């Protein structure tokens, strides 16, 4: 499990002004409009990047029906090399997306905010393990009520606290996320059909 980011690390990875939150976290009940907002943004990104957008996924709590969440659409965008910003950032910025986080030490993660919808576009390179972890976590919560309820309880408890930065809240959730991922990934791997041996 990754260590929580320090205030200095949050400042270092933030592009532009760093705004303190200094408040509790507002969670909204699940809204069936969230998948539609995701689809609109995904279509816009595909139109902007064309084949450079290798994969786009709806992830995070707004992608799980019935789960309370911050009203913020989390998306994954996969490009060939997320560290090669010249290959895709200018096109996104021309369409109104704003680069807000650059994390070379964590999967070369880049995060963009949307032009007119509250979205986080998490950008990774092709083959990045974190993409599969995020997708597996989402799929597990969609099909396992017990862990979805566990996650929501944990979020509500943490959201009631005051956080200097929203990232602090995200880091505080990492223990329960890792607990759930530790069940989701092995179960998913076990369910995959095994490749047949070429030996007879």
């Amino acid at each position: 499990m990754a260590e929580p980011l320090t205030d200095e690390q949050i400042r270092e990875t933030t592009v532009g002004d760093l705004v303190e939150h200094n408040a509790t976290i507002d969670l909204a009940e699940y809204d069936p409009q969230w998948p539609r907002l995701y689809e609109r943004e995904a279509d816009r990104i595909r139109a902007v990047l064309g084949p450079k957008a290798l994969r786009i996924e709806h992830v995070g709590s707004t992608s799980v029906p019935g789960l309370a969440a911050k009203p913020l659409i989390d998306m994954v965008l996969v490009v060939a090399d997320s560290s090669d910003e010249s290959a895709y950032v200018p096109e996104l910025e021309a369409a109104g997306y704003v680069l807000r986080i650059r994390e070379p030490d964590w999967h070369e993660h880049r995060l963009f905010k949307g032009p007119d919808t509250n979205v986080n576009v998490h950008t990774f390179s092709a083959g990045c393990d974190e993409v599969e972890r995020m997708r597996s976590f989402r799929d597990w919560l969609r099909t396992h009520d017990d862990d979805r309820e566990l996650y929501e309880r944990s979020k509500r408890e943490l959201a009631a606290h005051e956080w200097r930065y929203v990232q602090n809240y995200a880091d505080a959730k990492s223990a329960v996320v890792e607990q759930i991922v530790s069940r989701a990934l092995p179960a998913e791997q076990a369910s995959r059909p095994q490749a047949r041996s070429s030996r007879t």
Side-chain angles (χ1 to χ4, degrees):
M1 184 172 64
E3 291 294 318
L5 294 180
T6 64
D7 287 2
E8 181 179 353
Q9 288 171 321
I10 292 172
R11 283 192 294 271
E12 287 175 353
T13 59
T14 298
V15 180
D17 294 334
L18 176 60
V19 180
E20 293 189 8
H21 184 67
N22 293 322
T24 58
I25 302 294
D26 292 328
L27 297 180
E29 296 303 319
Y30 179 78
D31 186 339
Q33 289 295 322
W34 289 339
R36 296 185 185 95
L37 292 173
Y38 157 74
E39 288 292 349
R40 189 180 72 180
E41 292 301 314
D43 288 345
R44 176 157 41 192
I45 291 170
R46 289 188 192 100
V48 168
L49 292 182
K52 292 180 182 180
L54 303 179
R55 181 176 176 185
I56 303 176
E57 297 269 0
H58 188 189
V59 295
S61 294
T62 61
S63 69
V64 180
L67 182 60
K70 299 191 305 296
L72 165 66
I73 310 300
D74 281 298
M75 308 172 61
V76 161
L77 167 64
V78 177
V79 296
D81 180 0
S82 55
S83 70
D84 183 9
E85 294 184 11
S86 64
Y88 66 98
V89 173
E91 290 98 321
L92 288 174
E93 290 182 334
Y97 291 89
V98 179
L99 178 62
R100 292 292 290 136
I101 292 176
R102 178 186 289 119
E103 294 184 281
D105 296 334
W106 188 68
H107 306 289
E108 288 288 357
H109 173 242
R110 304 297 191 271
L111 183 142
F112 296 84
K113 300 299 292 186
D116 52 29
T117 301
N118 195 11
V119 298
N120 281 340
V121 183
H122 301 274
T123 307
F124 298 99
S125 300
C128 178
D129 291 343
E130 185 61 21
V131 174
E132 293 310 317
R133 284 170 51 83
M134 295 171 82
R135 182 202 50 75
S136 180
F137 180 70
R138 175 201 68 194
D139 291 351
W140 183 265
L141 291 183
R142 284 176 172 176
T143 56
H144 291 77
D145 293 348
D146 51 348
D147 273 336
R148 186 172 65 247
E149 290 164 4
L150 167 65
Y151 187 48
E152 181 163 323
R153 283 197 308 273
S154 300
K155 292 207 306 176
R156 289 191 184 281
E157 290 170 6
L158 292 169
H161 296 275
E162 187 171 302
W163 301 95
R164 184 175 185 185
Y165 300 112
V166 175
Q167 182 63 46
N168 300 142
Y169 164 73
D171 288 341
K173 295 188 299 178
S174 61
V176 68
V177 169
E178 291 299 322
Q179 180 184 338
I180 295 170
V181 167
S182 73
R183 290 188 282 272
L185 281 176
E188 181 178 89
Q189 291 162 359
S191 69
R192 289 177 183 157
Q194 296 298 310
R196 184 174 296 175
S197 172
S198 60
R199 299 190 181 197
T200 56

